């Protein structure tokens, strides 16, 4: 769908460009670059629109020479022209200088009116502006800042990461001995970076108030790394929505000195039996779990969506087939430590739980009350991308003796009824399958088994239908609970946790016989036949030679 929309958009742009070129060729004038088209914001003017021939607040394009454009202002009285010298910095940033509006016709005369030391005017894309990864890599950082009244360095302020790497969260601390400092939080959305000579620039949109005007949101930064260090940055910030007020990384409305905080959990790794597969999916295929190749970072994403949570292993608390660990979690722009518990269920099946509340002290993450049952999430069942088949447990032939399941088999449009419904598990030629023979149809529904584990008298099976409708789930969790004289069977598509689902009536099964007994009786009959034939042949030969 996204690919189809991009093709349509490309086609529309092509048609628009051809028509515009035809118009200019026929009636004269010039064209602005196609990637300028859109709605922009400029300090002091507000929003303005640019299309292929018209620059709002400037005029119609009448002549072009490289990056210089002559525009004719749309005024009824005293029409005039001006030269605009344009410097495109990024898809989201255009800077320009302009002449006064004059009556000259010559491009050379008009552009000569632009002074060399004239300030650059900045325009920032307002609609559909794509974001970029922020240039300050691998947070967290601690920083000091100066708003003109002295350095605020104690207590130190900090920068934390967000799951979206185009965002950073800046926590400003107030320094009692420095006037004009105050505590606060700002979310930085990075829109553009570029390099001009030895200077590096960043344009970002700051979010600190729901009602913040765009004039107060767009800010320009000049930055560089401290010589000889890869972990420190000098940064200057503009005081308005322009880039003209920052002249160096140490001169601006606000200056900052950033120092990256060394991570304390880089040596911790997730369990080997977890990262033996770097990609896992939730049972309902709604989320993807991706472990980094260094086995220290986990990203949880919605299927075909953005990252919802990033987790970095901090330290292992307990290590066995159930592993408990502390992880540093980032969800959106919230950061903290949580407790995670991994359960090994089968070679291609694991379950994971995590505490619901983030804490700032890692030593508190995996102790009560944060690990109390009501403070931990329900187990999330994860499966590998490709699932091998495995032998199904509780082999035998069963018949539904009571109850009625409200789920529907792929081969039968009616709810599964209890009368004359047989269930065969690991029988005969299908040791890796559970087969349902429905009461209202001669066809059967077959599920291949991929993983199984037991907890007390409850057995869990991950299975997939051999054939299914497009609306049916690809994977299911069968929950078999052994009772006195019978067994209940639930089928869930989103988890293996009954308490997390609206409970429906299970299928109640009674064992009719084991597969091995039926197979043995058939095998013994087959073995007895040659013996009987041999005895008859011997009697015939004795009668012949008497």
């Amino acid at each position: 769908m996204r690919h189809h929309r991009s093709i349509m958009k490309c086609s529309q742009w092509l048609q628009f460009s051809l028509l515009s070129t035809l118009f200019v060729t026929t009636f004269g004038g010039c064209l602005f670059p196609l990637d300028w088209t859109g709605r922009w914001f400029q300090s002091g003017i507000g929003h303005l629109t640019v299309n292929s021939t018209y620059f709002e607040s400037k005029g119609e394009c009448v002549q072009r020479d490289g990056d210089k454009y002559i525009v004719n202002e749309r005024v009824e009285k005293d029409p005039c022209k001006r030269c605009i010298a344009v410097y495109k910095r990024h898809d989201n940033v255009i800077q320009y200088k302009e002449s006064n509006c004059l009556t000259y016709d010559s491009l050379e005369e008009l552009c000569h009116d632009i002074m060399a030391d004239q300030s650059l005017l900045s325009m920032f894309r307002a609609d559909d502006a794509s974001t970029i990864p922020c240039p300050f890599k691998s947070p967290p950082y601690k920083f000091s800042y100066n708003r003109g009244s002295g350095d605020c360095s104690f207590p130190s302020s900090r920068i934390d990461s967000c799951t979206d790497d185009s965002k950073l969260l800046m926590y400003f601390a107030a320094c009692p001995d420095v006037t004009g400092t105050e505590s606060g939080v700002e979310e930085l959305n990075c829109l553009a970076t570029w390099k001009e000579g030895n200077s590096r620039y960043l344009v970002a949109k700051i979010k600190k108030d729901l009602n913040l005007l765009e004039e107060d949101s767009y800010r320009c930064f000049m930055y560089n790394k401290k010589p000889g260090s890869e972990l420190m940055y000098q940064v200057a910030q503009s005081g308005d929505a322009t880039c003209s007020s920052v002249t160096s990384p140490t001169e601006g409305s606000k200056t900052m000195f950033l120092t990256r905080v060394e991570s304390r959990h880089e040596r911790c790794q997730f369990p080997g039996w977890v990262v033996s597969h770097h990609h896992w999916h939730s049972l309902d295929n709604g989320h993807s779990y991706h472990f980094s190749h260094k086995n220290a970072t986990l990203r949880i994403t919605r299927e075909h969506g953005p990252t919802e949570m990033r987790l970095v292993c901090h330290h292992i608390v307990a290590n066995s087939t159930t592993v408990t660990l502390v992880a540093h979690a980032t969800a959106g722009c919230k950061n903290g430590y949580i407790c995670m518990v991994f359960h090994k269920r089968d070679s291609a099946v694991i379950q994971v739980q995590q505490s619901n509340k983030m804490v700032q002290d890692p030593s508190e993450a995996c102790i009560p009350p944060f690990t109390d049952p009501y403070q931990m999430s329900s187990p999330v069942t994860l499966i590998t991308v490709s699932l091998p088949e495995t032998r199904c447990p509780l082999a035998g032939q069963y018949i539904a003796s009571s109850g009625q399941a409200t789920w529907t088999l792929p081969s039968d449009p009616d709810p599964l009824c209890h009368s004359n419904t047989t269930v065969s598990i690991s029988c005969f030629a299908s040791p890796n399958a559970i087969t349902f023979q429905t009461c209202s149809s001669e066809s059967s529904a077959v599920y291949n088994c991929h993983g199984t584990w037991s907890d007390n008298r409850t057995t869990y099976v991950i299975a997939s239908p051999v054939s299914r409708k497009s609306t049916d789930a690809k994977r299911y969790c069968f929950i078999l609970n052994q009772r006195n004289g019978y067994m209940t069977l639930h089928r869930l598509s989103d988890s293996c946790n009954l308490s997390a689902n609206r409970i429906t009536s299970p299928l109640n099964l009674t064992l009719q016989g084991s597969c091995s007994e039926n197979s043995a009786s058939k095998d013994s009959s087959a073995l007895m036949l040659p013996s009987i034939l041999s005895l008859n042949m011997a009697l015939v030969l004795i009668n012949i030679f008497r």
Side-chain angles (χ1 to χ4, degrees):
M1 182 62 74
R2 184 181 298 174
H3 179 64
H4 178 65
R5 284 200 300 265
S6 64
I7 291 176
M8 288 185 63
K9 187 175 181 181
C10 210
S11 175
Q12 291 168 355
W13 280 123
L14 183 60
Q15 292 176 24
F16 182 72
S17 178
L18 290 172
L19 289 172
S20 300
T21 303
L22 181 62
F23 178 85
V24 170
T25 304
T26 305
F27 299 102
C30 65
L31 293 174
F32 293 121
L34 195 60
D35 54 7
W36 292 11
T37 300
R39 192 163 171 259
W40 299 78
F41 177 83
Q42 181 176 329
S43 179
I45 296 177
H47 290 106
L48 54 90
T49 301
V50 179
N51 61 31
S52 61
T53 59
Y54 179 64
F55 196 133
E56 188 177 353
S57 82
K58 307 302 175 188
E60 297 278 359
C61 185
V62 294
Q63 189 179 352
R64 175 182 178 181
D65 182 12
D67 293 329
K68 295 183 175 68
Y69 298 82
I70 302 301
V71 294
N72 191 10
E73 282 205 359
R74 289 178 175 177
V75 290
E76 295 181 1
K77 295 181 180 181
D78 300 324
C80 57
K81 297 178 182 178
R82 70 174 74 235
C83 175
I84 304 175
V86 180
Y87 309 90
K88 184 185 174 185
R89 305 305 190 188
H90 186 273
D91 286 344
N92 293 331
V93 178
I94 291 176
Q95 292 185 315
Y96 68 93
K97 295 180 180 181
E98 63 179 352
S99 70
N100 293 314
C101 202
L102 305 169
T103 55
Y104 302 145
D105 288 326
S106 164
L107 182 144
E108 184 178 349
E109 288 181 301
L110 285 168
C111 295
H112 186 71
D113 187 60
I114 298 175
M115 306 302 292
D117 58 351
Q118 193 170 320
S119 295
L120 280 166
L121 302 174
S122 300
M123 291 177 16
F124 309 126
R125 188 177 294 278
D127 295 339
D128 301 322
S130 58
T131 56
I132 62 161
C134 292
F136 310 119
K137 305 297 184 183
S138 304
Y141 287 85
K142 63 179 181 179
F143 69 94
S144 61
Y145 66 96
N146 189 325
R147 286 185 171 139
S149 301
D151 288 335
C152 177
S153 56
F154 184 81
S156 63
S157 303
R158 77 178 192 275
I159 296 177
D160 275 339
S161 62
C162 301
T163 50
D164 183 346
D165 60 6
S166 69
K167 297 181 180 181
L168 292 172
L169 209 60
M170 305 183 72
Y171 295 89
F172 288 89
C175 292
D177 57 338
V178 181
T179 59
T181 63
E182 58 182 2
S183 59
V185 182
E186 295 182 0
E187 182 183 302
L188 211 66
N189 292 271
C190 299
L191 300 177
T193 57
W194 71 92
K195 186 178 180 182
E196 185 181 347
N198 293 324
S199 302
R200 296 181 182 273
Y201 291 86
L202 162 69
V203 168
K205 201 169 183 181
I206 293 174
K207 181 181 178 182
K208 58 182 176 180
D209 189 338
L210 292 176
N211 299 318
L212 199 64
L213 299 174
E214 288 194 291
E215 185 73 47
D216 301 318
S217 297
Y218 290 103
R219 289 294 181 266
C220 191
F221 301 81
M222 187 183 290
Y223 66 95
N224 65 10
K225 291 181 180 179
K226 186 179 179 181
S229 174
E230 292 294 315
L231 306 176
M232 299 179 184
Y233 289 89
Q234 293 174 312
V235 184
Q237 177 183 323
S238 65
D240 54 19
T242 70
C243 291
S244 57
S245 60
V246 285
T247 56
S248 79
T250 58
E251 296 180 23
S253 174
K254 178 165 59 183
T255 57
M256 293 169 279
F257 188 80
L258 280 56
T259 304
R260 184 173 168 235
V261 179
E262 289 285 3
S263 174
R264 293 176 294 167
H265 42 253
E266 290 182 350
R267 293 187 179 182
C268 173
Q269 293 183 328
F270 289 98
W273 48 265
V274 172
V275 295
S276 59
H277 301 279
H278 282 93
H279 289 86
W280 297 81
H281 295 275
S282 58
L283 183 65
D284 62 359
N285 212 41
H287 287 82
S288 176
Y289 288 63
H290 174 69
F291 292 89
S292 67
H293 290 292
K294 293 184 179 180
N295 303 336
T297 303
L298 165 62
R299 288 182 179 270
I300 303 175
T301 62
R302 189 174 295 278
E303 200 68 22
H304 308 300
T307 300
E308 290 189 349
M309 181 175 281
R310 182 177 66 246
L311 299 134
V312 180
C313 187
H314 181 75
H315 73 268
I316 304 292
V317 177
N319 196 349
S320 63
T321 54
T322 296
V323 172
T324 302
L325 58 85
V326 175
H328 183 268
T330 303
C333 289
K334 293 182 179 179
N335 290 265
Y337 294 91
I338 64 170
C339 189
M340 301 189 75
V341 183
F342 291 85
H343 306 272
K344 184 177 183 179
R345 300 308 191 191
D346 208 326
S347 60
V349 183
I350 63 174
Q351 287 187 309
V352 60
Q353 293 176 274
Q354 62 189 54
S355 51
N356 296 323
K357 186 177 180 180
M358 293 183 186
V359 297
Q360 296 306 311
D361 186 348
S363 65
E364 296 178 353
C366 283
I367 61 174
F370 305 110
T371 53
D372 292 343
Y374 62 89
Q375 292 283 7
M376 298 290 289
S377 67
S378 299
V380 177
T381 303
L382 303 181
I383 56 177
T384 56
V385 177
S386 58
L387 284 171
E389 290 185 17
T390 186
R391 190 173 186 86
C392 304
L394 304 174
Q397 293 194 77
Y398 301 82
I399 188 166
S401 56
S402 64
Q404 183 173 357
T406 55
W407 40 277
T408 304
L409 289 173
S411 59
D412 196 331
D414 298 324
L416 181 65
C417 55
H418 64 276
S419 177
N420 298 323
T421 299
T422 60
V423 181
S424 300
I425 303 178
S426 289
C427 284
F428 312 125
S430 304
N432 299 336
I434 301 175
T435 303
F436 295 84
Q437 191 79 37
T438 65
C439 57
S440 59
S441 173
E442 293 183 357
S443 61
S444 60
V446 181
Y447 294 80
N448 288 328
C449 298
H450 302 291
T452 180
W453 69 97
S454 296
D455 185 6
N456 294 325
R457 294 174 61 86
T458 302
T459 300
Y460 301 86
V461 182
I462 302 300
S464 61
V466 173
S467 62
R468 65 182 184 89
K469 296 177 182 177
S470 59
T471 55
D472 291 335
K474 295 181 179 179
R475 306 279 188 263
Y476 290 96
C477 182
F478 287 108
I479 303 175
L480 301 99
N481 201 319
Q482 298 182 60
R483 310 284 186 180
N484 292 326
Y486 69 99
M487 182 168 63
T488 61
L489 187 152
H490 288 273
R491 188 192 72 171
L492 305 178
S493 60
D494 56 350
S495 74
C496 289
N497 184 22
L498 282 174
S499 62
N501 294 269
R502 184 175 64 183
I503 304 302
T504 56
S505 299
L507 188 66
N508 295 338
L509 306 178
T510 301
L511 183 64
Q512 294 299 295
S514 66
C515 298
S516 58
E517 290 175 354
N518 293 332
S519 298
S521 63
K522 289 186 177 184
D523 293 341
S524 61
S525 298
L527 288 170
M528 287 174 65
L529 184 59
S531 301
I532 295 171
L533 290 174
S534 299
L535 181 59
N536 289 336
M537 181 63 72
L539 292 173
V540 169
L541 291 173
I542 289 171
N543 290 329
I544 291 174
F545 291 104
R546 272 184 178 176

